[in-house]
Structures are given as C-alpha cells and as structure tokens.
Amino acid sequence: MTGPAHTARSTAEARRTRPAPWVRTRLRAAPLTVLLGAALAFVAVLAAAALPRAVDRGADAALRSFLHDQGPSRTSLTATATSRYGPMDPQQLDSALAALRARTGGAFRLDASGPVHGARGLRGRPLAGPELARPDGVDPQLSLVHLPEAAAHTALVAGRMPGASAPGAPVQIALSRGTAAAIGAPVGTVLESRAGIFGTARAEVVGLYEATDATGAYWTDLGCLASPCLKTTTGLPPMRYWETAALVGPEALDRLAPWGETAEYFWRLPVDTGVLRADLMPSVSREVASFVAGPAATGLSRTVGRPDLRVSSGLPDLFARAEARQQAAAPLAAIGPAGVAGVAAVVFFLAAGLGGDRRAAELRLLLARGGSRRSIAGRLLGESAVTVLPAAALACALALLFVPSPRFTASLLAAAGVTALALLAFPIRAFVLLSGRRGSRPRRRLVAEGLVLAVTAAAVWEVRRRGVAPSGAGLDPLLVAAPLLLAVSGGLALSRLQPLLVGAAARVAGRGSGLVGFLGLARAARGTGGGARPSVLPVVALFLAVTTAGFGVTVLGSVDAARLQAARQAVGGDSQISAPAGQSLPPDLVRAAAALPGVRTSVPVWTSDGFVFGDAPTPVHITVVVAEPAAYAELARAVGRGGFDPAVLAAGGPGSPLPALVSRDLAGPKVLRVRIGNEDLRVAAAAVVDGTPVLPGAGAATLVLPAGPAATALPRSAGANRWFGLGRTDGSRLTELVGAAVPASAAAQYRVGTSSSVVAGLASDPLQESAGRLFWASVAAAAGFALLAVMLTLVRAAPERAALLARLRTMGLRPRQGMALVLAEALPQAVVAAFGGAVVALASAALLGPAVDLSTLVGSRVPAGLRTAAGPVLAQALGLAGLVSAVVLAEAAISGRRQITTELRAGDQR
C-alpha cells in the first residue's frame, strides 16, 4: 500500500527505531553525577577566575597606599628655574604652567588638588628687631614667597594682602596668624634684616592670614608659610630659633632675589596616585622619566624659554621600590594558590578515577563491540562538555562581575586552564583504562615516585644554596614549588608506609576478641574500591592542604613575631616615656607607669652624653645609660639587643673601677676613663654588648652602668629621664599619666610610644593585608577540596563497603558496629595523612626558612628566616582531621543505612 498514510507510518516507525542520542541518554542515566560534576567545575573555575583579579586588586591597593604614604612632595613633578636668566612676570609663570600641563595626560593624570606654582627666595634672612621672639637668643629667619593662587587657600584675618611698594619702601608682606604671634610681629611691624651680601632689607607686615587647608597638599614643600617652624641649630649646644615665611604680591617678584640672594621659580604638578595601577607602572615610569631627563624635558625648556628648567620627581624611585615590594611578596603569596591548584587537580583526577571505575564494564563493552578508544574518548568528551562548559562559563562571568578589575587576561587564562582540566580528566582516564598495559605497573609507579623525590631534593637543595631570587627577578618558581613538592613526596612516602603501619595495627587488633577493629584496619591497609593498596591521591590531597596551611601559618607567625621584635627595637620595649632634653621624669609618673595593668617589668633609666678618653688624640663621643641591672637585662633580652648576664655588673670593692657594659668599638682597654658632664670616672669593661634598647640600631658607641649604691659617683643631679616597660600597655593610658603628672604646657614635649602602635602601623600596609587574605582564602579552599577528595574516596568505596556490611548484617552485625567499621576503615588514612602533612610543613619551614626574607611582609628590615612553631601547624592539622572525621561520620550516617538496605533487598549479585 502506498500513499500519504503509508509514508507517515513509515516515518513514525523510523523515528521509533532511531538510536537515542548518546549524550542525552548518559546524562539522564546519572543526573546526580552530572550535577556534582557541574558543581565541581563551577567552584574550581570560579576560584581560578577570581584569584588573579583579587591579586590585581590587592597589588593596585598596595601601590596606591604606598604612594599616598610618601606624600604629595615625592609623588609630584616639580619643575624649577632660577632668576639668573632674568625675572619672570606673573604671565610667564602662568604660561609655563600651561605648557607643563599640556604635556601630561598620557599614562597618568594630575591630582584634583591642582598644580602649585610661584616664586620664592632660596634663602631666608635673619631679622634684627630686638622686639622679636628668640627662644635661645638666635634671630628668627624670614623667607619671601609669591603664590598666585594663595587667595584660594587662605582667609584674611587682619589687614590686607600685600601689594605694590614705593621705590625704596619696605616690601609689603603677609604673615600667617601663628607666625605673627610666635615671633611677635603684628600688622604694621617693619622687619629689618641683618646685613648680608646685598646689604640690609626691610619688610612691612600689612596683613595676617589663616591657611584654610594647612594640612592639605597645597602647602607641602612651601616652607613655613602655613605656620611657623621651630628649628634647632646644628652646632653644640643645639639652639632653637623660629623659621618663618611670608607672602608677597606679584608686584614684588623683583624683590625676591635681593632678599633671598637668588630667586627660584617653581611649578609642582601632583600626580593622581589614586588611579595608578600596578601593571601600568612601567609605562608611567617611562613617561615620568621623559619629563625628568628625556625628550619632554628638552621640549619644555624650549617652550618655556628657560635653558635651566629642570624637572625632578621621586616617582621613578618609588615605582622601583613598589615593584620590588610586590616581587618580594609574590613568592610567599603564591604558595597558597599553588597549593589550592594542586589539591584541585587531585580532586579532578579522583573524580575521573571514580567515573572510570563506575563505568569500566560499560567502556570495555563498547570497545569489545567495535568502538575505538578515540571514538569512545570523543563521546566522553562530549558528555563532559555538556556538563562542564555551561558551569565554567557561568563561574567565569560571576568572577568577572563580582571581583571588579580592569585586567581580565589572567583570569580568562586561569579559567580556561581549569576548564580544560575538567573537560579532559575523565576522557583521558577512560583512554588510559582502555589502553593495553605496556609494562609492570608497580615498576612504572616506582620510577615515577623516584623521579618526584629527585626533583624535590634538587629544588630544596637549590633554594637553600642560592636563596630566594633577587629583587627584580620576578616570581621565584623554586620557592613556590619546593613546599608543594615536599608535600607530594611526603604523600608518596606515606602511601608506601601506610599499608605496613596500618597492617601492623590490624594484626595487633586481630589478637583481641573484637572483629570490627581488625576488619576495618585490614581493609584500610589493603585498599578499597578494587585497588590492591590505598589510593595515593587522597593522601596527596591531604598532604598538600595541610602543608600549604602549615607553611602559610609559619610564614604569618614569623611575620607577626618579626614585626613585634622590630616594634620593640624601635620603641625600646613595649612602652616608653621620654622626658624633654635636660629634664627628668617625675618620680610619681614612673611609679604610676609601673603600676599600669599589663606592665610586668618597669625599667627607669638615665641617659646622657659622655666622652671616653684613650689613646686616640680626640675623645670618643658615647651615650651613657644607667639602669638597674636585672630589670635592664630582662628588657635587653626581650628587645633582642644588648643582652647580658646581670651578674657582670656587680660592683667591686671601694676605689675599684665601676663595672660597665661597652659596645664593640669600646672593647679595647679593660679600664676606661669616662667624662660625664664635668665629672671623670674610671670604669671597667665587664662585658661587650651589641647595642642597647635605649637607642635604635647597633652602631652607636654606648656605655651601660649599674644604678644603685654602686653608681653614687655618677654626676646625676636628677632622676631617670626615660622609662621603658614590658607587657601590653595602652598608649592612651600612658598619655593620660603624662598629662596628669606634668604641666599642660610641657606635656607635648614628653614622648610616649608603644610597640602595639608601631605594630599596627607596620601591619596597616595593604600589601601585607592582601597577602594575609589570600593565604586564609587559600587555606579554606585547599581544605574544602581536600574534604571533597575524602568524600570522593568514600563514594568510590561505597558499593563494596555496602555489600560487605550487608553480608555482615546477615551474620548479626549491629548498626553501631557497622559505624565503627566504617570509621576504622576510613579514618586511619585521613588522620595519618593530616598529621604527616603537619610534619612535612614543619620540615618545609625548617629546610626553606633560611632562604625566606620577610622584610616586605613585616614592613621593616628584618633578618631572613622563618620561626618554626609546632603549635599553629598542629592546630591546622587537628582542624582538618576533625573536619575529615565529621565528613566520614556524616557519610556513614546518611548513606550507609540506605545502601545496606538496598543491598539486603536486592541480594548479592557480585
């Protein structure tokens, strides 16, 4: 029969007999596996895509904070020209500024605060008026400055702003209100200078102003215009004097050179550091270098018409320092992400192994029915693509969206790499599974493990031999790879040792009356899931996770310890109070400070300048420190500078030299003649020390003498002038004590410092904060992937374990005993691997620690090396072991009963 009805029936029959699509069928057959695979790919790609962007954001924040802390002076382009090529009028100053601004706007832009330009005399003149204030009898100094935009940054409080002066009349100036009050020069005062090479000069104060933004960037490098400056002379004895500056109008530009011996015209262009990026530092540095000494500098000189125009900037040096800081921190910051990548790769391999074991019979059947290994791998790749690609695309999009950064190349490359691993892991595993064996598997494994051990030993030896790659050489791959190679080697070694150790434990348990412990340990020693021995991949995953966490904890702990030590050396202890020069601390203040909560050691000291007379023609200047020996010794030990045994300062008999600690440059003669003030003393060098907590650094010549009855010969007319304390102390409490013990007018001259405030300042660097956040995120991610590896191992062994428990249930095994059997089987490997990883982490810190320089992360120059502490590392291992135990318990409680029930209903078909 022919016709439309027959044709439709034939088409329907053909559709019914057409094979179902392979990928759709396989995905429908195991929906849970599909979802888990997609979730694993999503999490891994999300982490891989977000990590580079987070690192970029941290690098940008660290660069901007570093440049901001340098101040606008060093982060500006400053052009200068002198008056030797003739004076400049206001129009020429403005046109030169316009020419400078026209050259900017390429790789960088100017700050919104705007440029600062003007003219100033290079030197100040001493003022001769007897009515002016002279703290120590030294004449105040006055400089003259012209700022075209001063009106926008000042508020007139008295008089008027300066204008033109008649020929021969004093130059009209305006002083800040603080300057006028400090030197005693109200409106109407005529100031006359001392005679110089240009004779005498006069200036009339016609107005007083107040800076509206005295702490702003505008007044940086403008001398003492916003407020007066109390300076000290460099001679002996040092003497204080007022240094001031005054504003003049544009009509007085030609008066600047006679007043200041010569005049300088300047233009300061502040660079907007808040938008700079770490990856653009090279281009910005090149453009700035062109301004300083390049084509841009030559063109500006011709445009301005000043051959002596010079442009300077501290930005090239700051960029070099910032890049060195980033490169120094990069190896330490990369260890955590590298560990996460290793654990994630192990998880993908485990997932591929689980899938291969589950579908081994199916794949071999396809191969037996004529399918080639290449075609089967291609079909499996199609399955993976349908599962992985949508999850990876979504994860990458979310990372780009929620972790904003102008750079995305590294994120896309990292996401593509993880996606490729997720796509290819199972097809490659299937291809290998279907391939014929080319040799003995134990021999191949032994060769591979030997190769890993050899590479690990070579990496560790090379790191210890040459140290970390020098600054500027980029990321040091050896320092990043060495801890991870040690973890892999430790995991391989443990996988060899664990069957022997657990087997011995099983034999011991077999001598008892119970069967559960023996059976569980025996299965743990033999391996589950069809293997002849326990799988090495879960052990390696746990080792990588614990080693990454342990090594990172060691680094961060060493950073904290080194930072505290650096802070103590900067302060001289945990807290300090210093009296002004020539004064002493009130005894009540010393007693109150010693009684503060948290202070465990109080060390009042007296310091003074002195001289040592010896064979040299001139005496050696020294710093004399007088303190109670026992307390001072404890302070020196805590600070790490100048440690000694207090017994060496025990006084001798009457008339004998006073025992003293001397620095290395005074360690020659046994008896020294010392002059302190107007008194001469004979002191005996009882011990040589490398410095004193009282002074920063170890280069100053010092002499430490004991306080008490033995020091009665010292010319001490006053009490201690410095106090040091050990123990956590609140700096605000110390400041309150000083305010209560001394007059309010003198309280500002007392210096109060605490190590906690210094530590907080050192730790506020965004570069260090970014490294810390990256480490803890890496620890969490590595732990999560390690737990996933354990779960995959449990899932891999679940069918065989369920069958065993079902058989044992028919023999009278109780549910509680079944739970104990699961724990005895799964926990030994996980717990031993966790604590083995802790041992490897400690070994990594001990082997690689001498090559690690923590100065960048500390924020101060410190000796290289790591401080190994077992406590934090074991805490990390305990935490991960506890999580593994919880996962095992949860898996046994949730899935064990259901699987056993299924086995009992279906019967044993194996």
Side-chain angles (χ1 to χ4, degrees), residues 444-536:
R444 293 200 309 269
R445 176 179 173 181
L446 184 61
V447 171
E449 291 175 355
L451 181 61
V452 172
L453 292 176
V455 172
T456 302
V460 172
W461 181 82
E462 182 66 14
V463 170
R464 288 182 61 87
R465 183 187 67 84
R466 66 161 174 81
V468 184
S471 177
L475 186 66
D476 188 351
L478 276 182
L479 184 62
V480 176
L484 307 182
L485 288 173
L486 284 170
V488 174
S489 299
L492 295 177
L494 183 62
S495 68
R496 290 284 185 178
L497 294 175
Q498 183 179 338
L500 302 178
L501 299 177
V502 179
R507 288 191 293 272
V508 173
R511 298 191 184 100
S513 59
L515 182 65
V516 173
F518 166 75
L519 185 57
L521 291 174
R523 286 175 54 81
R526 179 179 60 84
T528 57
R533 61 173 59 90
S535 175
V536 69

Side-chain angles (χ1 to χ4, degrees), residues 11-423:
T11 302
E13 292 177 354
R15 287 177 178 174
R16 283 194 298 270
T17 58
R18 182 183 302 169
W22 169 276
V23 174
R24 186 184 67 186
T25 303
R26 290 305 311 164
L27 296 183
R28 286 181 175 179
L32 182 59
T33 303
V34 172
L35 291 177
L36 291 177
L40 177 59
F42 176 84
V43 173
V45 173
L46 181 65
L51 177 64
R53 297 175 71 80
V55 172
D56 289 341
R57 286 167 58 86
D60 291 344
L63 171 65
R64 294 163 185 170
S65 175
F66 174 72
L67 295 178
H68 179 270
D69 292 342
Q70 305 301 315
S73 175
R74 301 200 64 195
T75 57
S76 298
L77 298 173
T78 303
T80 58
T82 61
S83 60
R84 62 177 179 167
Y85 289 95
M88 297 183 72
D89 56 36
Q91 290 74 24
Q92 290 174 318
L93 285 173
D94 294 340
S95 62
L97 175 62
L100 287 167
R101 299 187 67 170
R103 298 295 183 109
T104 62
F108 64 91
R109 71 186 189 193
L110 299 183
D111 191 77
S113 61
V116 181
H117 70 296
R120 57 192 169 197
L122 286 181
R123 296 183 182 177
R125 283 205 173 195
L127 301 178
E131 74 282 0
L132 301 179
R134 293 173 173 81
D136 290 332
V138 180
D139 292 335
Q141 299 276 335
L142 178 66
S143 302
L144 301 185
V145 182
H146 168 64
L147 298 176
E149 298 177 349
H153 298 272
T154 58
L156 191 65
V157 296
R160 57 181 176 83
M161 295 304 288
S165 304
V171 60
Q172 296 184 10
I173 64 173
L175 297 174
S176 69
R177 180 161 55 182
T179 298
I183 67 173
V187 174
T189 303
V190 176
L191 304 174
E192 186 172 350
S193 70
R194 298 286 184 185
I197 59 175
F198 290 97
T200 60
R202 294 185 302 161
E204 180 183 3
V205 181
V206 298
L208 302 180
Y209 62 86
E210 189 78 30
T212 55
D213 52 349
T215 60
Y218 182 84
W219 299 100
T220 301
D221 283 348
L222 291 182
C224 305
L225 278 172
S227 60
C229 305
L230 187 62
K231 298 295 185 69
T232 305
T233 61
T234 56
L236 291 177
M239 305 179 70
R240 297 171 299 167
Y241 68 96
W242 289 110
E243 184 173 305
T244 63
L247 288 174
V248 299
E251 301 83 0
L253 282 174
D254 57 343
R255 307 283 292 269
L256 296 179
W259 183 280
E261 296 185 6
T262 184
E264 177 186 73
Y265 307 102
F266 64 92
W267 301 264
R268 191 180 81 231
L269 283 68
V271 175
D272 187 0
T273 59
V275 297
L276 294 181
R277 288 164 35 188
D279 63 317
L280 298 182
M281 274 197 299
S283 59
V284 177
S285 184
R286 285 193 298 269
E287 186 167 339
V288 171
S290 178
F291 269 89
V292 174
T298 305
L300 283 172
S301 296
R302 290 195 299 263
T303 301
V304 177
R306 291 277 172 168
D308 62 335
L309 183 72
R310 296 291 180 266
V311 182
S312 62
S313 177
L315 282 174
D317 176 64
L318 294 179
F319 287 154
R321 289 172 55 191
E323 185 175 4
R325 280 161 40 87
Q326 292 178 7
Q327 291 177 348
L332 301 177
I335 291 175
V340 174
V343 180
V346 170
V347 170
F348 279 115
F349 295 151
L350 271 175
L354 176 61
D357 291 346
R358 286 286 182 86
R359 299 176 60 178
E362 171 196 345
L363 297 177
R364 289 193 177 96
L365 178 61
L366 290 174
L367 184 65
R369 290 186 172 184
S372 65
R373 291 191 299 271
R374 182 176 300 176
S375 63
I376 294 174
R379 289 179 179 273
L380 297 180
L381 181 62
E383 292 182 28
S384 299
V386 173
T387 303
V388 170
L389 290 182
L394 178 60
C396 188
L398 291 178
L400 297 178
L401 178 63
F402 290 106
V403 188
S405 174
R407 302 180 287 283
F408 53 85
T409 303
S411 294
L412 294 180
L413 291 177
V418 175
T419 303
L421 178 62
L423 279 173

Side-chain angles (χ1 to χ4, degrees), residues 408-770:
F408 53 85
T409 303
S411 294
L412 294 180
L413 291 177
V418 175
T419 303
L421 178 62
L423 279 173
L424 299 176
F426 181 46
I428 292 177
R429 168 62 178 168
F431 190 86
V432 173
L433 187 66
L434 297 177
S435 300
R437 294 186 177 181
R438 297 192 177 97
S440 175
R441 182 177 177 183
R443 182 176 301 175
R444 293 200 309 269
R445 176 179 173 181
L446 184 61
V447 171
E449 291 175 355
L451 181 61
V452 172
L453 292 176
V455 172
T456 302
V460 172
W461 181 82
E462 182 66 14
V463 170
R464 288 182 61 87
R465 183 187 67 84
R466 66 161 174 81
V468 184
S471 177
L475 186 66
D476 188 351
L478 276 182
L479 184 62
V480 176
L484 307 182
L485 288 173
L486 284 170
V488 174
S489 299
L492 295 177
L494 183 62
S495 68
R496 290 284 185 178
L497 294 175
Q498 183 179 338
L500 302 178
L501 299 177
V502 179
R507 288 191 293 272
V508 173
R511 298 191 184 100
S513 59
L515 182 65
V516 173
F518 166 75
L519 185 57
L521 291 174
R523 286 175 54 81
R526 179 179 60 84
T528 57
R533 61 173 59 90
S535 175
V536 69
L537 290 179
V539 177
V540 172
L542 288 170
F543 258 79
L544 282 171
V546 177
T547 302
T548 300
F551 192 82
V553 164
T554 302
V555 169
L556 293 185
S558 301
V559 167
D560 292 339
R563 189 178 289 147
L564 176 59
Q565 194 68 15
R568 280 180 166 176
Q569 291 185 354
V571 175
D574 288 324
S575 52
Q576 176 196 156
I577 302 176
S578 298
Q583 301 184 33
S584 60
L585 296 174
D588 293 341
L589 175 60
V590 174
R591 288 191 292 270
L596 281 177
V599 176
R600 67 175 187 271
T601 303
S602 173
V603 190
V605 301
W606 178 75
T607 62
S608 178
D609 293 331
F611 295 91
V612 170
F613 295 87
D615 298 332
T618 58
V620 179
H621 179 266
I622 62 172
T623 298
V624 179
V625 178
V626 181
E628 195 278 322
Y632 179 80
E634 184 178 354
L635 178 69
R637 283 194 300 270
V639 173
R641 182 185 295 132
F644 69 101
D645 183 2
V648 302
L649 291 184
S656 61
L658 194 63
L661 306 176
V662 298
S663 54
R664 299 187 186 278
D665 46 359
L666 302 176
K670 292 294 184 181
V671 179
L672 304 173
R673 186 166 65 90
V674 180
R675 174 168 295 175
I676 306 175
N678 296 323
E679 299 289 337
D680 287 343
L681 298 175
R682 291 173 62 246
V683 300
V688 178
V689 293
D690 59 354
T692 172
V694 176
L695 298 177
T702 57
L703 187 75
V704 181
L705 299 173
T712 54
L714 293 176
R716 296 177 58 191
S717 59
N721 54 14
R722 303 183 73 177
W723 175 84
F724 298 92
L726 292 178
R728 295 183 61 87
T729 309
D730 188 0
S732 60
R733 294 289 302 275
L734 287 177
T735 304
E736 292 175 1
L737 289 181
V738 172
V742 301
S745 58
Q749 302 179 28
Y750 285 74
R751 188 178 61 180
V752 175
T754 61
S755 61
S756 58
S757 62
V758 177
V759 167
L762 293 176
S764 62
D765 186 355
L767 183 66
Q768 304 167 23
E769 296 176 355
S770 175

